[in-house]
Amino acid sequence: MIRKTVNNVEEALEGIQDGMTFMLGGFGLSGIPENSISELVNKNVKDLTCISNNAGVDDFGLGLLLKKNQIKKMISSYVGENGEFERQMLSGELDVELTPQGTLAAKCQAAQQGFPAIFTPAGYGTEVAEGKEVRDFDGKMYVLEEAYKADFAFIKAWKGDEAGNLIFKGTARNFNPCMCGAAKVTVVEVEELVKPGELDPNQVHIPGIFVQRIFQGKDYEKRIEQKTVREK
């Protein structure tokens, strides 16, 4: 059995450099790779391009990298709850490429599956389609979108084994699965790391072939952006 385990987050992030492009799983603060983001902050890598649904909040998640001006470009579907993201975008400090959410997921999946591009109807007739090839399929217009190219994908899973097989939990099963294998190197942090054979094969969401490095994470905060409660 091929083992993909590394000892810690420092070892998992070996090879990262300034100017790289990263994919980061999560939706808001749900299922974000907290340990990997913290290590990116510690390493102070700069001029990064980050592909992620959004950028968390001002003081957590990708907001920590934005706060230190380590990100030069965000490729996201929306600004979300991050005031610093909004400020940098409006001031021109940050290059932002807003992409329809389904297109963002599909471009990750295309990279994961080895396809160079997809055709999507989303964005046709808008600024999203400017400068891109459009084609008619059965009377409907579609826009050509190239698959993403990334150096590293940072993923958070609930449970994994030493071979890299992964199980996601609840809403953390968001952009994480479709980013696995979509970059040159996929790094996964898990809450629980087990021996090969301990996971029920019928419960595995992503097979280990899509993973290059996996490690046991720690000290997860799992913050919630917005709490909705009702009166008793």
Side-chain angles (χ1 to χ4, degrees), residues 47-199:
D47 298 323
L48 303 176
T49 296
C50 292
I51 303 169
S52 188
N53 183 65
N54 60 300
V57 294
D58 290 38
D59 61 346
F60 198 60
L62 286 179
L64 297 172
L65 292 168
L66 284 171
K67 190 175 181 179
K68 291 183 62 179
N69 297 111
Q70 293 175 253
I71 301 176
K72 72 172 183 180
K73 181 176 182 179
M74 279 296 308
I75 300 175
S76 302
S77 71
Y78 75 113
V79 176
E81 304 290 332
N82 194 315
E84 180 62 15
F85 186 179
E86 179 184 11
R87 188 196 67 78
Q88 289 190 24
M89 179 180 70
L90 294 176
S91 68
E93 297 174 41
L94 179 69
D95 186 8
V96 177
E97 182 179 313
L98 291 177
T99 303
Q101 196 166 87
T103 303
L104 183 72
K107 290 175 72 169
C108 291
Q109 290 174 322
Q112 178 192 63
Q113 296 163 4
F115 295 118
I118 61 166
F119 276 102
T120 173
Y124 174 71
T126 72
E127 292 181 5
V128 171
E130 289 183 3
K132 299 175 183 175
E133 179 183 345
V134 296
R135 288 183 61 180
D136 183 319
F137 291 93
D138 297 323
K140 188 172 183 177
M141 301 304 294
Y142 290 76
V143 181
L144 178 71
E145 292 279 1
E146 294 186 3
Y148 287 129
K149 298 178 179 67
D151 298 293
F152 281 80
F154 297 109
I155 307 301
K156 163 70 189 316
W158 170 51
K159 188 181 293 188
D161 66 19
E162 294 176 346
N165 299 301
L166 306 176
I167 298 175
F168 300 93
K169 187 175 184 180
T171 54
R173 190 180 175 186
N174 41 54
F175 279 85
N176 280 301
C178 66
M179 287 183 173
C180 288
K184 294 176 183 176
V185 178
T186 295
V187 174
V188 181
E189 55 184 82
V190 295
E191 294 180 44
E192 185 177 349
L193 185 63
V194 302
K195 299 292 184 182
E198 291 187 35
L199 298 180

